């Protein structure tokens, strides 16, 4: 009986499988120059954000009845070649957890000084839970930042 109780508890506490991610937009130099973590649940929110990061362009299609979008803008970077990458989205402890990392595109060469602002926006299945953003740090990721 104790083993069954432990098994039920372990299953209840286990994180749910990762969520499917669909890339909507990404780049190394957004006009949004501040650090920003955004959850977009409506077409109006999507238009407002799109007008900020890609003025005058049509935003990627998002079916807000089934999807929502999450975005990370890491703010100014002193070097070229940096990107931000959402590496996973999962349901954990009643929340949606978005894990992302900053990375150098060409790890063999030192990045050149420039003032860019990396960002990435993805669509994920619609969910009403609270979204939390967590930066995953690689051992060598802060060598030039």
């Amino acid at each position: 009986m104790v083993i069954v109780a432990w098994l039920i508890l372990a299953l209840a506490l286990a994180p749910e499988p990762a969520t499917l991610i669909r890339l909507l937009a990404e780049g190394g130099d957004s006009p949004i120059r501040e650090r920003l973590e955004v959850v977009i649940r409506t077409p109006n929110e999507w238009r407002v954000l799109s007008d900020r990061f890609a003025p005058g362009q049509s935003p990627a299609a998002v079916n807000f009845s089934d999807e929502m979008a999450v975005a990370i803008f890491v703010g100014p970077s002193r070097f070229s070649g940096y990107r931000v990458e959402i590496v996973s989205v999962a349901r954990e402890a009643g929340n949606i957890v978005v894990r992302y990392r900053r990375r150098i595109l060409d790890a063999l060469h030192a990045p050149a000084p420039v003032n860019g602002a990396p960002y990435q926006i993805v669509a994920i299945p619609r969910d009403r839970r609270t979204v939390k953003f967590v930066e995953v740090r690689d051992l060598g990721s802060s060598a030039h930042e």
Side-chain angles (χ1 to χ4, degrees):
M1 187 66 160
V2 173
I3 294 173
V4 172
W6 279 106
L7 182 58
I8 291 171
L9 179 62
L11 289 173
L13 295 177
E16 295 180 38
T19 299
L20 294 176
I21 299 172
R22 181 170 64 89
L23 181 65
L24 296 174
E26 69 179 340
D29 194 19
S30 166
I32 297 175
R33 305 309 276 186
E34 74 269 11
R35 182 174 184 74
L36 187 63
E37 299 167 344
V38 185
V39 179
I40 306 106
R41 289 190 164 100
T42 68
N44 188 51
E45 292 172 346
W46 182 224
R47 273 189 300 276
V48 168
L49 182 66
S50 295
D51 286 346
R52 285 189 67 195
F53 80 86
Q57 297 179 23
S58 296
V62 179
N63 178 354
F64 285 100
S65 62
D66 297 324
E67 296 178 307
M68 63 185 199
V70 293
I72 180 72
F73 296 82
V74 295
S77 171
R78 298 175 304 175
F79 299 98
S80 68
Y82 273 93
R83 293 292 185 264
V84 64
E85 173 184 37
I86 295 173
V87 294
S88 72
V89 178
R91 294 178 189 96
E92 295 178 13
N95 298 302
I96 301 296
V97 178
V98 176
R99 287 188 173 77
Y100 67 92
R101 70 175 171 217
R102 288 183 288 165
R103 64 183 177 91
I104 301 172
L105 287 181
D106 183 358
L108 297 177
H109 300 91
V114 74
N115 200 8
Y119 70 98
Q120 189 174 66
I121 307 168
V122 300
I124 62 174
R126 185 171 181 80
D127 199 309
R128 295 179 187 261
R129 297 174 221 218
T130 299
V131 176
K132 296 184 176 192
F133 291 83
V134 176
E135 183 172 1
V136 177
R137 296 211 180 247
D138 293 332
L139 291 176
S141 67
S142 62
H144 298 286
E145 265 305 16

